[in-house]
Amino acid sequence: MRTEDFQLISSILKERSGLVLTEDKVYLLESRLTPIARQKGMETLDDLINEVRLRRKEDLLNEITEAMTTNESFFFRDNTPFDHLRDKVLPELLGARSNVKRLRIWCAAASTGQEPYSIAITLKEMQAKLQGWNIEIVGTDLSQQVLEKARAGLYSQFEVQRGLPIKMLIKYFTQVGEMWQISEELRNMVTYRPFNLLDNFSILGQFDVVFCRNVLIYFDQATKTQVLDRIRSQMPEDGTLFLGAAETVLGVSDKFKPVAGHRGMYMTSDAPALRKVG
């Protein structure tokens, strides 16, 4: 791929999604965009890039952006955040919100739904403690295509084998042909909506817990800071943020601080002094 072609596509991706594409990822451009070229009746990827350069059609730019920002996901990824949610975050919030009995949890870049459904399963397993509570899980993603799959809650054998305990599969999924579908009750626990992390966060409302895992690694430093600062603006002072294992707020944002002994978990920097001690 010519340098000018790579620069054109990478600049479009950066502008529309925040994704920073380095030149060692040329293979991703070729593997993910060539099928789009063929769907459009074009012979080569060069034809697709020329079309972008000449016309900049919005629907085509959307397709390219979605193709490049679709990332893999699997159930209970890394396990630890879900353990922390169950054992530490939720018990604290249940005490702090006992008067209103309402919580909101946001999964940014929810992809095909495995993360929000992992949270839903975690909550379902705690249902005896959550009687009378209104808990909303919101999953967002840039890609309409992955959100449609998430809403359907339909997964292949390979997908359910990745991270999902067999007892959870049997308890919460039904086999549909060669696929597995998560129960309607759990599907109804999650609301999916399209959202770009470069957009205005205020339309989403406030969240007590935010999962923004394995997303920041694709952004440059300035975009990481902006996203973290915007997340903080949508959280109360006792909110909790979960990031991916390879991500951190250190040197990026002063709006959050790590929770000692809880990898990938962060509290707001102005949280009450007694919070999360121990």
Side-chain angles (χ1 to χ4, degrees), residues 134-146:
N134 177 7
I135 303 182
E136 182 183 3
I137 305 170
V138 178
T140 67
D141 201 279
L142 181 69
S143 170
Q144 290 278 9
Q145 183 177 0
V146 298

Side-chain angles (χ1 to χ4, degrees), residues 170-197:
I170 294 169
K171 190 173 182 179
Y172 295 117
F173 288 73
T174 302
Q175 192 159 14
V176 181
E178 296 183 353
M179 306 288 282
W180 291 86
Q181 187 168 39
I182 196 165
S183 71
E184 183 178 5
E185 181 181 10
L186 288 176
R187 293 201 307 275
N188 290 338
M189 290 175 66
V190 184
T191 300
Y192 291 102
R193 57 187 295 181
F195 185 73
N196 189 327
L197 287 173

Side-chain angles (χ1 to χ4, degrees), residues 78-258:
D78 301 330
N79 274 317
T80 304
F82 305 98
D83 293 340
H84 291 342
L85 178 69
R86 179 192 66 225
D87 299 335
K88 189 165 184 64
V89 177
L90 286 175
E92 289 182 356
L93 287 173
L94 293 184
R97 304 288 190 277
S98 59
N99 58 329
V100 293
K101 289 185 165 30
R102 185 171 187 269
L103 293 174
R104 297 188 80 224
I105 301 173
W106 177 25
C107 289
S111 190
T112 44
Q114 287 94 323
E115 182 174 81
Y117 286 138
S118 296
I119 295 171
I121 290 172
T122 300
L123 294 176
K124 185 65 177 172
E125 290 288 293
M126 298 176 62
Q127 63 179 338
K129 297 179 180 179
L130 299 175
Q131 291 294 329
W133 280 76
N134 177 7
I135 303 182
E136 182 183 3
I137 305 170
V138 178
T140 67
D141 201 279
L142 181 69
S143 170
Q144 290 278 9
Q145 183 177 0
V146 298
L147 289 176
E148 288 174 11
K149 179 177 172 64
R151 290 187 187 102
L154 199 61
Y155 300 97
S156 67
Q157 184 71 39
F158 173 73
E159 288 171 318
V160 296
Q161 286 176 335
R162 299 185 73 194
L164 185 67
I166 185 66
K167 66 177 182 179
M168 300 296 186
L169 176 64
I170 294 169
K171 190 173 182 179
Y172 295 117
F173 288 73
T174 302
Q175 192 159 14
V176 181
E178 296 183 353
M179 306 288 282
W180 291 86
Q181 187 168 39
I182 196 165
S183 71
E184 183 178 5
E185 181 181 10
L186 288 176
R187 293 201 307 275
N188 290 338
M189 290 175 66
V190 184
T191 300
Y192 291 102
R193 57 187 295 181
F195 185 73
N196 189 327
L197 287 173
L198 300 185
D199 290 344
N200 185 348
F201 282 30
S202 64
I203 63 171
L204 298 174
Q206 291 273 303
F207 293 97
D208 304 284
V209 181
V210 175
F211 281 69
C212 187
R213 303 173 64 228
N214 308 300
V215 183
L216 298 182
I217 53 174
Y218 298 104
F219 296 158
D220 62 19
Q221 188 84 349
T223 306
K224 290 177 185 178
T225 300
Q226 291 169 9
V227 169
L228 286 171
D229 289 356
R230 290 175 188 167
I231 289 174
R232 173 62 188 94
S233 69
Q234 301 306 121
M235 300 178 75
E237 67 174 10
D238 60 349
T240 299
L241 169 69
F242 287 100
L243 299 180
E247 298 167 326
T248 183
V249 302
L250 300 177
V252 182
S253 173
D254 60 2
K255 306 295 185 184
F256 295 93
K257 55 188 176 184

Side-chain angles (χ1 to χ4, degrees), residues 65-76:
T65 304
E66 288 198 12
M68 293 305 303
T69 54
T70 301
N71 299 299
E72 71 168 6
S73 180
F74 48 94
F75 291 98
F76 293 98

